[in-house]
Each structure stands twice: as C-alpha cells, then as structure tokens.
Amino acid sequence: MEFMQPATWSEALAMKAAHPEATPIAGGTDVMVGLNLDHGRPESIIDLTRIRELGEWGSDDGWLRIGAGVTYTKLIDELGDRLPGLAMASRTVGSPQIRNRGTVGGNLGTASPAGDAHPPLLAADAQVELASATGTRRVPVREFFTGPKQTTMRKDELIAAFLVEPAAGPQQFSKVGTRNAMVIAVCSFALALDPARRRVGTGIGSAGPTPLRATEAERFLEGVLDEQGSWDRRTRVSEAAVTRFGELVASAARPIDDVRGTAAYRRHALSVLARRCFTWAWAAA
Amino acid sequence: MRVGESVQRSDGPAKVRGDFAYSSDLHAEGMLWGATVRSPHPYARILSIDASGARTMPGVRAVLTHEDVPGQKLYGLEIQDQPVLAFDFVRYWGEAIAVVAADHPEQARRAAEKVRVEYQVLSPVTEPEQALSANAPQLHPGGNVTREVKIRHGDQSARADVVVRGEYEIGMQDQAPLGPESGLAIPDGEGGVDLSIATQWLHVDQEQLAGILGLPKEMVRLTLAGIGGAFGAREDLSMQAHACLLALKTGRPVKISYSRTESFVGHVHRHPGRLAYEHGANRDGRLVYVRARIILDGGAYASSSTAVIANATCFSVGPYVCPNATIDGIVVYTNNPPCGAMRGFGSVQNCYAHEAQMDRLAAALDMDPVELRIRNAMETGSEMITGQVIDGPVPVAELLRRVKAFPSPLGAEGQGDGGGMHDLTAMPGGVSNTTHGEGVKRGVGYAVGFKNIGYSEGFDDYSTARVRLYVVDGRPRVEVHSAAAEVGQGIVTVQAQIAGTELGVSDVVVLNADTGVGSAGSSSASRQTYITGGAVKAASEAVCKRALELAESELHPASELRIENDTVVGADGKQIVSLATLLGDAVIEETREFRPRRTHRLNPETGQSNAHMQFAFAAHRAVVDVDTELGLLKVVELATAQDVGRAINPIAVQGQLEGGAAQGLGLAVMEEIQVKDGVIRNPSFTDYLLPTILDMPPVRMDILELGDPNSPYGLKGVGEPPTISSGPAIVAAIRAATGREITRVPVRPHDLTP
Ligand SMILES: Cc1cc2nc3c(=O)[nH]c(=O)nc-3n(C[C@H](O)[C@H](O)[C@H](O)COP(=O)(O)OP(=O)(O)OC[C@H]3O[C@@H](n4cnc5c(N)ncnc54)[C@H](O)[C@@H]3O)c2cc1C
C-alpha cells in the first residue's frame, strides 16, 4: 500500500488526479475502521491532515465556507452559535475522541445514509465544494448523495469545503439510537426555520438509501405558517398541523428493516421527532 | 494489606495509563502470525479441503487442517464434541477449518482466503423447537438434546386459588470482553511447547491441549497473559490449540490474536432461551406450585451447556419457598453460535421469568410486589425445589426490605420543564436530543435472585496455593503462587491480602499464575476468592505454624505466638523476635489444596439432591424513565442490597456490584447478538451495543456482611449475583412506566411503541 502525504492542496489534487483510486484520509475514523474490518484494501492512501487550509473556515459572500478537515469539536466550539443545527448533530457524533478526529468532510466522503452531519446540511440547503486538478464546482447537498455511500464526486475530485449560510432562525436536530451516547442513528431529523424568507428546511437521516429531504412536509408547514400569518406573529400552530407535519416527514422516509431497527419504527419515530423539533424550534422563533 | 481493607488493585494504574500488557501485546523474536479459515455456512458437509494454493503464498510457513491434529480431534469442557479443526461437517457460522502461520499477519490472512473448501451446504437447524422435532437432522451422534433436567418436587397435581401464566424470551448476550482471544505459543525445541494465554483456567486448557497435541502434560506449559475481561468467554479453548499446533509444526513462536469480528465467533455466548411458566398461589399470596418448561439454545457444541441448564432449572423458581414444583429444563444443539458460560450462568435467564411471574401474581392478588416476594422469601433452613435445605444466612426478605427502603432518586421524571436548560444527559435518548420531557414516564421495579457459588453436582472443586516465606534485604517477604486467573476481578490483590493477614508480613508478592503449581480451578462461578482464597489461607497458616515453631521456647509455646508487623509476638503482645532474625537464610514453603464441602449429582428423575455448595443472594430496585412515544430509556438509578458474607476487599466488591449490574442492564435494554439463519448480523461494537456511562446510572448499594459459617472468613462469592436481578428489576420498571407486558429482552424501542 502506498501512503502519500501532500503538504499543499494543489499537491493533493495532483496526487488524486494521478491516482484516482487512492483513498483520501482525514480523521480516519471511518477509513481506519474499514481497514481493521478488512472491508477494503486500498492500493494507496492520501493523507490530507497536513493541509492547513482544509482545517480552517471563513466567510464567502455571506456564507460560511468550512474546510472539509474541520473537526466536529472545532465546529461545535467555533461555529456552534452560527450553525446550531449542525452543532447539535455534531454533539451526537461518537465520543469526544471521535469528535476530536472526525470531520464533516469525512462524513460527506463516506456518505452513509446514517451520517449525522447530513440532515442539518440538507435542512440548511448547504453546498459541497468539490475540487480537482482541473477546477472547482459547488454542488447543493441535496444533489450530492446518489445512493448508499455514493455521491456525485468524481474519482479525480476531493472535497475542499462545504458552504452554509449562518442560521437565519431556529434549528433543531434529534437522533434516535438504542443507547444514550455513541450510537449510530436508527433515524434522525433536522429542521431549519428561516422566518425572513418564510422557509422551512428538513433533513432525514438513516431512513432511506440516502439522507432525504421531506419536501412535501416543508411546503405543507410553510403553507400553514403563511396562511395563519404565523411567521410574523409567531402564533401558536395547531396540534393538527404539527401532527400532519410529522406524518408527512414520516412518509418522506424510505426506511428498511435492519439490525438497528424496523422500518415501521423508523417511520413512527420520525413523526415524533418532527413534531418535537418543530415545537422546540417554534418556541424559540 | 489486610483482609477487610479496601486495597487498590495492583494492575489498576497500569491499565488506566495504557501500560498494561494484554495477551494481544505478546511478542517473541522471530514469531509467526496465525490466521484461521472459518466456515461461511452455519451447516454444511465438508467435501474437500485444498490448502495447496495457500501453502505457496508469500511468507506462509504452515497450513494445518484436522489431518495435522496428532492427538484427540475433539475437545470440550463437558462433552468432547467440538473439532479442533472441522472435519466431515461444519456446524456453525465461523467454525474453524484450517489455520495458517505466516511471517506477517496480513500474509496469514491472505493465505487463509486461499484455502479452498468444498462444501455441500445443508439447511441449518436454527430454532430449538425445530431441533427437537422428529424429522430434524441429528447434529451430533447422540441426537439434538444436550441435556434434559427434570425437577419433581412435592405434589405434582397441586391446585391453587390464583394462577398466572407467562412465556418469556431471552436474547443472546455476549460477554464482549475488550481483549480479543489471543496468545503466543513458543516451541521448546524438545517437542514441547510453552503457551502464554488469556484464559480463565490454565489447567483445564493444559489438559485439553495435552490430549489434542498428543503430549504428556509436562510438555505443555501455560502461563497466564494479561487478560482484557472474561465473563465466561475464556472457559473454552479458542486459539490455544491452533497456536500450539502451528508452533510445533514450524518450530517457531506463533501468535494468534482475533479481530473483533472474529472474537464474536471465537467464544461462546449466553444461552438464549424460551421459558414458559405457570405459578399457582393461595389467596394470601403464598406459592403453592410452579410449573415451568425452560428451553435453552446451546448452539452447535456443548461447551458448558449441561451445567448451565442445571442451574437454569435448579434456580428456576427464584429464592422463594415453593412446596410443589414441576420443572423441565432442556438444552439443545442447533446450528446457531455455540453458547456456554457467562456471568450468572443459567440463573439470569430464569430470573427474568420468575420475577415477571411474581409481578403478575402480585397484580392478580392486588398485592404489593415486594410484599408478595417477602411473604414467599426463603430463609435459613428453607428447602429448595431440589430438596436441598439452605443453611447459613438467607437474607432474602432483608435484602428486599433494604432496597425498598432506599430513598427515591432525586429529580422528577423527565426533568424537562418545557423551556430553558435541559440536562439532556438525564433524559431518555441522552445527548441525542430526542425529548425535553415529552412523553416521559417513570417506573420503579424490583427483583431478587440467587445462584450457586462454586461448582455443583459433585464436580471436584479445589484450588492449590504455594506460599513461601524468606528474607530479602533484611526484611521478610511472602511469595504466593497459585494458578488462579486474574481476569480483572482482583484475585491477585485478594491473595496478597489473605497471605498478609495470615502471616503478619507487609511485603507480599503474588507470582504470575502458571501451570508450575497445581490447579486453581476456573475463575468462574464466583468461586476464586472462596476456593483459591481458602488455599492461600491454608498454605499461609501452615507456613505461619512452621515459623512459629522456629520461635518456640519453653517460655513461649508456639501456640501462644503470632506474627504481627514482621515480628513474632507473644500472648501478651510483647515483641519476641523479628521475623528476619528468626528466619535468617531459612525458606519456609508450604503448598495446600483447599476443598469446600462436597456436592452431589441431581437425581435424573426428580432433580432432588444437595447439588450446590454455597448460595448468594442479591436484590435490585430500578428506577427507569421511559419516553413512551419513542421507546427510549434512561435508567435513572439502580439500588442493590447483597450479602457478601465478608468483604475481603470492599472497594473491589463495590466494583463487582457496579460492573455486574451494568452487564445486567446491558441484557435488559440493548445487548443482543442478532442471529438470522445461523449467521450473526452484528459482530462488531458498532451494532452490538454495550452500555456507556450515560446509560449506566449510579448504583446505590447496601453491602451486608452476614458471615457464612462454612467459608473462609465467612465470605461469599460476589461476582455474579449483581448480574442476575439487575436486568429483571429494570424490565419491571419499564413495565410499570408503560403498562406493557414485555416478555422479551433486550427490550427494543419498537417493543414499546405502537
Ligand atoms: C466509534 C465511532 C463512532 C462514530 N459515531 C458516529 C456518529 O455518531 N455519527 C456519524 O455520523 N458518524 C460516526 N462515526 C463515523 C465517523 O466518525 C464519521 O463519519 C466522521 O465524520 C468521518 O470523518 P473522518 O475525518 O474521520 O473521515 P475519514 O475516515 O478520514 O474518511 C471518511 C471517508 O471520507 C473520505 N474523505 C475524507 N476526507 C475527504 C476529502 N477531503 N475529500 C474526499 N473524500 C474524503 C475518505 O476517503 C473516506 O471515504 C463514528 C466512527 C467511530 C469509529
């Protein structure tokens, strides 16, 4: 196995161009587990941890541009106020050790339907910045995932960063797992409210082949809030509407039965999570 | 370091710092690495094995199959039914078929993949009921019933005022020791072998290995390597024989260390079970009869199934007086993963059933569940359903009263207040932010259990200890040598405490366990402090007696002397001579075997017998918050009362009570090996979930030291009782919170939701 350690981003992109089959490694919390479980034997590995700018973040035209190598711990510490939904999700990832190593870039790279960073990125309509030796492109997160562990990223590309607007309103994230910490999601739900634009954003995790949006639920809730003039007056939303929102979220899911839970439970739990997340978010709006 | 003092474990600091050398860290110059070829089928006929491709792979030094086993090709703790390397058939998913030794572990693994095995795949027997059906394939020559235990006690047609029935199902729990199976075999160049190994019983490994290798026992020497947990998983052989065979074949040291996934097929598990119960009681709540049928799935090989089913049956009613009992316990062979010993050993499965039944009975009688238990509680002189009369303290009612009397835990259910700060770690779902109090209901549940300490049914239970007293650098030193396996329970410290107490010497060294001294028996059945402790005590007393004889004079007969603080003192407490001066160059050494009182086989027709040596009792109260909409849980508190007879090392006793309760909690709410069509679906810690610190609550404990008149210092085994009633108490609390029946563990979220 060849082990490459580029010192700069352009060097990394050149290596990826020359070795399209090479496996990039950031925190290694997925890659090393895969190696230990003998799930694959990569011919070569490109270690991205020497590239300083990957671990940094800044602003870009009103958006936050966050390097693919920013760890969950750093994200919680430095961006928790601006990205509360993503920070809540980050707090549920693994253990302190995993959050110290693991990155959102790695979560996107693995593209597991259970990746906890994905639902809040979907709810906030984030973008993924992909780079290759020949150029850079930005892909909306909602187009990024194409199947279980599959994305639109080409073999010669690397994830440079993701872009997300600072929260314009309340955000929530909830994750069901069968133990109270360090658990892979049985299902999860993220919600982002944008009162100024009158927009509702959602993300569903671990209940379909990819992370999903509950588009119909979003439009329904936007309609309810518009109709009642609730965005401005913050009036109470009827229980029936909240319940309906939960049902629509549940019906957007495409879950299966597996070792972590049943499809029926996942749907049920998602309707509960959606109701609760909205109630909490609305109380804070 | 004396008996009764809380002593920090000798291995603690190194383990916390990461300095402790576990068996997986073993190393020898020029060693080879072993890898194992395993069956991808739960049941198949082996048509051929072709290792030629593997033998020519780079770095490969040997590839062995059953043909290379020089001695006995079958082994097993109670029944020799398990192939060292499979031949004719494979009977479970992951069964070992061939082993490879290579220069590098990756070379060994790659070569293992190149061993070609041709199978005729057979349809596996995966349900115990299926195994018992007339047209099931016979998995072993004697049929599919590994053992049937019958208890016929009292009136077999007794009738009662109130009758409750229930059927319960227990999932397959794993011991999940953090240290994988591993060891290092070094050939001695003269045909023998030295094995460093993480095991629970050096001598039973030695005996089995000698048979397999076709060598006299003296040529197979074992040394205990650092153990990362055991809990029953290290009673059976795993890689021991494979490493020795490869080392003897290649003439090189061979190390084998299982991966996590491999570990899940490399050791036995706790028996899953189905238990059907009927309880009959009088209107006043007194038990009239219990009828039960207990079926345990033993998986592909017997391991310790025959003893586990005996326990499950003998203790099936719980620590209650029950004049009439009809119990059928049966353990069967299937093509599921083999099951054997795990902490609690048969008394865990049945406790879920008898405690659920007691709660049902209490509900049917409209009685307080604790009151009902106390009304039926065994006491000194009570008769078990096996006819054995229990002597010594039997504080069942007292334990129940104590757990009931504990104050309620602070904080209200679902501590959320609808806004502001929530301590998510106190909520069901924890930091995953699933509730701020919505849907949360609190329940309280109680359970009590008991089991045997030490071996039962006439098995020769003994341990051996060698104690030496000599002078180094002008100070007396005591050296203790036994083969007792330190599996994390603290037996090293206990041995030092006992020798230090008996000999009045402060410098006590406990040598590493090996087969250079007689057998200590296994570190299981909560027996080691009792039995090896007893042997160390006896050997220390013998050494002490000889030392005092040296000091004897007309003025001071030996019988009036004792040793205190490295000095011989007289009856009046006056110092007579320092031990160092007295001994000079002399070395006093004594070896003793210790045996507790004898036990007897169960009568095969009635199950009546004095089958057990000592009994230990514990009770638990659990307080659980349940998110009734999501089915998520927070065990808020566990409270326990346990009679330990005498706490030799109180801080270690507390550790056992906490750790044992955590393992009980695991089975109650999350730990399960999921087996489908004979294949383990979750062989990793990603999906085999163990409780974290956010799942395991603080344990309130009341440790009673009532003193057993028959045991050394009055002690009782403490390791297993915490694992027995903790889980059933939690499930009772979940029932109380949700009003649901819950007849299966572990309880899953979808069992609690619509
Ligand atoms: C004990 C444990 C607990 C965990 N708990 C959770 C959890 O609760 N929730 C959760 O979502 N995940 C969890 N994970 C999985 C893992 O920690 C996360 O997916 C994490 O985000 C991976 O980040 P990393 O930097 O370690 O990725 P790595 O392992 O370094 O890489 C992951 C994947 O991304 C690719 N990759 C990494 N960086 C780039 C890049 N810049 N460009 C292109 N591809 C790239 C890699 O090639 C690889 O395919 C857990 C893992 C462990 C070991």
Side-chain angles (χ1 to χ4, degrees):
Chain A
M1 185 200 294
E2 199 182 346
F3 187 71
M4 295 175 270
Q5 262 191 330
T8 66
W9 185 235
S10 54
E11 213 182 305
L13 293 175
M15 284 173 181
K16 188 67 174 149
H19 306 268
E21 298 301 328
T23 299
I25 186 167
T29 60
D30 278 323
V31 172
M32 294 310 297
V33 173
L35 286 178
N36 269 328
L37 292 178
D38 206 10
H39 284 166
R41 292 171 184 175
E43 286 303 315
S44 52
I45 283 189
I46 304 178
D47 174 16
L48 301 176
T49 55
R50 301 285 164 100
I51 302 161
R52 214 179 29 133
E53 64 260 42
L54 267 194
E56 293 173 344
W57 60 269
S59 17
D60 184 318
D61 202 12
W63 290 54
L64 291 163
R65 183 182 175 283
I66 300 160
V70 171
T71 64
Y72 293 107
T73 299
K74 182 164 172 157
L75 201 141
I76 293 164
D77 289 348
E78 298 177 15
L79 291 165
D81 54 343
R82 273 157 286 185
L83 300 173
L86 185 58
M88 285 168 127
S90 301
R91 279 190 204 99
T92 75
V93 173
S95 57
Q97 296 91 326
I98 297 297
R99 295 193 288 276
N100 286 340
R101 292 288 306 176
T103 64
V104 176
N107 211 233
L108 289 164
T110 298
S112 156
D116 286 325
H118 308 150
L121 292 179
L122 277 172
D125 232 337
Q127 302 196 340
V128 184
E129 185 177 307
L130 299 170
S132 70
T134 57
T136 295
R137 60 184 177 126
R138 290 180 177 178
V139 182
V141 166
R142 77 179 104 96
E143 290 164 24
F144 181 68
F145 305 106
T146 54
K149 306 206 166 182
Q150 278 163 13
T151 69
T152 53
M153 179 165 59
R154 295 194 313 262
K155 285 203 183 307
D156 65 333
E157 284 179 322
L158 291 172
I159 302 169
F162 62 96
L163 292 102
V164 59
E165 286 181 292
Q171 300 185 338
Q172 280 293 338
F173 175 81
S174 272
K175 155 173 156 184
V176 167
T178 32
R179 84 180 156 194
N180 288 341
M182 255 266 295
V183 68
I184 296 189
V186 171
C187 61
S188 65
F189 180 71
L191 179 73
L193 299 183
D194 185 340
R197 288 190 207 142
R198 301 177 176 250
R199 279 214 40 238
V200 173
T202 59
I204 295 172
S206 219
T210 65
L212 300 165
R213 279 186 85 141
T215 321
E216 213 185 312
E218 292 174 1
R219 296 299 85 79
F220 165 77
L221 194 54
E222 284 165 2
V224 170
L225 295 175
D226 275 336
E227 207 175 298
Q228 301 179 348
S230 295
W231 284 118
D232 303 318
R233 291 185 281 117
R234 305 283 187 271
T235 45
R236 222 181 127 262
V237 178
S238 76
E239 213 158 290
V242 180
T243 303
R244 182 72 192 134
F245 174 64
E247 285 166 5
L248 288 171
V249 167
S251 64
R254 288 189 278 141
I256 52 165
D257 290 342
D258 64 17
V259 282
R260 292 175 198 142
T262 64
Y265 173 77
R266 286 184 159 104
R267 271 191 210 281
H268 163 77
L270 278 169
S271 73
V272 177
L273 295 185
R275 274 195 271 124
R276 289 185 183 173
C277 280
F278 174 71
T279 308
W280 301 330
W282 195 240
Chain B
M1 249 209 262
R2 299 179 63 85
V3 163
E5 284 171 15
S6 273
V7 179
Q8 210 184 62
R9 312 164 40 135
S10 52
D11 53 346
K15 282 180 174 168
V16 172
R17 280 199 307 264
D19 290 341
F20 186 84
Y22 290 96
S23 56
S24 50
D25 300 319
L26 290 164
H27 181 83
E29 211 49 55
M31 74 181 185
L32 303 174
W33 293 79
T36 310
V37 179
R38 296 185 179 279
S39 169
H41 307 294
Y43 190 33
R45 187 188 298 277
I46 299 175
L47 301 176
S48 66
I49 305 173
D50 175 8
S52 55
R55 288 208 172 89
T56 56
M57 295 277 289
V60 171
R61 306 290 166 172
V63 183
L64 307 181
T65 68
H66 66 93
E67 289 177 356
D68 303 291
V69 177
Q72 291 159 14
K73 290 178 193 287
L74 297 173
Y75 71 96
L77 288 172
E78 288 160 3
I79 301 172
Q80 283 71 54
D81 60 356
Q82 183 157 5
V84 177
L85 291 166
F87 54 92
D88 298 343
F89 290 95
V90 285
R91 295 183 183 83
Y92 72 98
W93 180 76
E95 183 165 355
I97 299 167
V99 284
V100 179
D103 296 344
H104 188 277
E106 186 59 23
Q107 291 172 324
R109 282 193 288 268
R110 292 193 185 201
E113 287 172 11
K114 288 285 184 288
V115 174
R116 293 268 159 271
V117 185
E118 213 188 318
Y119 300 97
Q120 179 195 347
V121 177
L122 303 168
S123 156
V125 178
T126 56
E127 290 294 329
E129 295 289 358
Q130 182 195 352
L132 289 171
S133 75
N135 52 1
Q138 301 291 291
L139 300 177
H140 289 275
N144 293 343
V145 175
T146 317
R147 186 178 179 190
E148 200 172 354
V149 177
K150 283 188 211 164
I151 291 182
R152 299 290 179 267
H153 185 69
D155 178 1
Q156 295 303 292
S157 50
R159 290 163 157 276
D161 301 337
V162 182
V163 174
V164 293
R165 297 187 183 84
E167 282 192 32
Y168 307 92
E169 189 183 339
I170 315 296
M172 186 188 287
Q173 188 179 21
D174 193 59
Q175 302 86 346
L178 290 188
E181 293 69 16
S182 45
L184 175 66
I186 305 179
D188 65 6
E190 295 163 16
V193 63
D194 289 276
L195 177 69
S196 283
I197 184 69
T199 181
Q200 287 178 242
W201 189 354
L202 290 163
H203 286 78
V204 83
D205 283 10
Q206 181 191 37
E207 199 171 303
Q208 294 187 89
L209 288 171
I212 292 164
L213 301 172
L215 292 173
K217 271 197 267 186
E218 312 77 69
M219 292 179 76
V220 187
R221 295 160 300 263
L222 278 73
T223 304
L224 194 69
I227 297 186
F231 312 110
R234 296 185 206 278
E235 288 191 23
D236 302 78
L237 293 181
S238 58
M239 42 55 65
Q240 286 88 329
H242 302 157
C244 291
L245 287 166
L246 288 168
L248 290 168
K249 181 79 174 186
T250 59
R252 303 257 302 262
V254 174
K255 173 169 169 174
I256 297 183
S257 187
Y258 286 176
S259 72
R260 177 60 57 201
T261 307
E262 205 174 11
S263 177
F264 274 95
V265 294
H267 62 251
V268 297
H269 315 291
R270 190 192 296 288
H271 291 74
R274 293 224 173 94
L275 305 91
Y277 271 63
E278 179 179 316
H279 276 55
N282 284 334
R283 294 241 176 269
D284 67 358
R286 269 176 225 288
L287 289 177
V288 176
Y289 69 83
V290 173
R291 296 187 188 120
R293 180 173 157 83
I294 298 169
I295 304 185
L296 299 182
D297 182 351
Y301 295 103
S303 179
S304 44
S305 280
T306 54
V308 171
I309 192 63
N311 266 13
T313 313
C314 289
F315 302 101
S316 56
V317 170
Y320 304 113
V321 176
C322 179
N324 310 300
T326 313
I327 317 288
D328 289 292
I330 183 161
V331 60
V332 298
Y333 287 118
T334 63
N335 294 114
N336 287 326
C339 291
M342 183 175 173
R343 196 179 201 171
F345 205 81
S347 291
V348 169
Q349 293 91 333
N350 62 30
C351 189
Y352 278 100
H354 64 67
E355 290 305 270
Q357 285 288 100
M358 291 307 272
D359 284 342
R360 277 189 188 190
L361 198 53
L365 289 159
D366 199 17
M367 252 180 98
D368 176 79
V370 175
E371 186 47 44
L372 175 74
R373 286 172 169 84
I374 289 173
R375 191 157 295 183
N376 288 288
M378 282 179 162
E379 48 194 44
T380 303
S382 291
E383 197 186 21
M384 287 177 66
I385 56 168
T386 54
Q388 182 163 1
V389 172
I390 305 191
D391 56 5
V394 183
V396 178
E398 176 66 13
L399 298 175
L400 284 162
R401 279 191 201 102
R402 288 193 182 221
V403 290
K404 181 143 198 207
F406 277 125
S408 293
L410 290 178
E413 64 188 3
Q415 292 176 339
D417 52 7
M421 293 293 291
H422 307 284
D423 179 8
L424 287 177
T425 61
M427 301 283 178
V431 290
S432 296
N433 190 39
T434 48
T435 179
H436 299 172
E438 297 89 343
V440 178
K441 294 218 172 93
R442 176 162 294 182
V444 180
Y446 294 88
V448 61
F450 81 136
K451 92 171 278 287
N452 51 339
I453 303 301
Y455 304 139
S456 294
E457 287 199 79
F459 196 94
D460 183 20
D461 199 345
Y462 75 98
S463 177
T464 319
R466 182 155 72 215
V467 172
R468 282 159 67 96
L469 175 64
Y470 57 96
V471 178
V472 254
D473 298 332
R475 291 186 56 212
R477 168 177 289 174
V478 176
E479 207 174 83
V480 183
H481 193 190
S482 80
E486 172 63 65
V487 296
Q489 82 279 41
I491 189 64
V492 167
T493 311
V494 160
Q495 292 179 76
Q497 286 177 278
I498 291 176
T501 302
E502 294 305 325
L503 282 161
V505 170
S506 51
D507 181 12
V508 183
V509 176
V510 179
L511 300 185
N512 191 31
D514 59 33
T515 50
V517 59
S519 175
S522 61
S523 288
S524 63
S526 305
R527 63 180 282 287
Q528 214 52 293
T529 297
Y530 189 138
I531 314 292
T532 293
V536 171
K537 183 167 186 277
S540 299
E541 284 166 350
V543 168
C544 186
K545 184 157 173 281
R546 277 182 54 195
L548 294 179
E549 279 163 11
L550 288 180
E552 186 167 41
S553 65
E554 266 178 38
L555 222 69
H556 302 291
S559 60
E560 287 178 8
L561 298 176
R562 60 183 196 278
I563 309 172
E564 252 179 43
N565 297 325
D566 300 354
T567 308
V568 177
V569 298
D572 51 4
K574 257 225 196 92
Q575 301 193 349
I576 290 168
V577 58
S578 87
L579 209 46
T581 310
L582 176 71
L583 290 170
D585 291 338
V587 175
I588 303 179
E589 178 181 304
E590 290 291 342
T591 301
R592 287 291 180 276
E593 277 183 3
F594 174 82
R595 282 183 167 76
R597 58 181 170 176
R598 289 206 47 163
T599 59
H600 304 275
R601 293 287 297 177
L602 292 173
N603 178 302
E605 297 310 319
T606 64
Q608 302 299 293
S609 153
N610 288 340
H612 308 292
M613 186 266 288
Q614 191 191 44
F615 301 90
F617 305 86
H620 284 86
R621 179 187 75 185
V623 179
V624 181
D625 280 356
V626 183
D627 181 336
T628 52
E629 277 188 292
L630 287 173
L632 300 179
L633 309 165
K634 172 74 183 177
V635 181
V636 176
E637 188 199 78
L638 281 167
T640 186
Q642 181 172 335
D643 172 25
V644 303
R646 171 91 193 272
I648 303 297
N649 185 0
I651 197 175
V653 168
Q654 288 165 23
Q656 288 296 314
L657 266 55
E658 285 179 347
Q663 215 151 19
L665 178 148
L667 175 58
V669 304
M670 65 179 81
E671 289 188 43
E672 182 175 13
I673 295 190
Q674 299 184 39
V675 182
K676 187 153 191 265
D677 303 327
V679 177
I680 299 180
R681 299 163 81 209
N682 57 339
S684 80
F685 286 158
T686 309
D687 287 310
Y688 183 87
L689 298 183
L690 296 158
T692 72
I693 196 70
L694 285 188
D695 301 285
M696 179 60 196
V699 180
R700 225 185 248 278
M701 49 181 102
D702 215 339
I703 297 172
L704 281 70
E705 298 185 74
L706 301 181
D708 182 317
N710 293 304
S711 67
Y713 307 108
L715 72 82
K716 282 193 174 195
V718 300
E720 291 172 286
T723 311
I724 297 173
S725 46
S726 46
I730 290 168
V731 176
I734 299 172
R735 286 191 195 103
T738 60
R740 285 170 182 269
E741 297 233 303
I742 310 178
T743 55
R744 182 195 187 281
V745 290
V747 181
R748 300 157 298 191
H750 66 256
D751 296 328
L752 299 177
T753 48

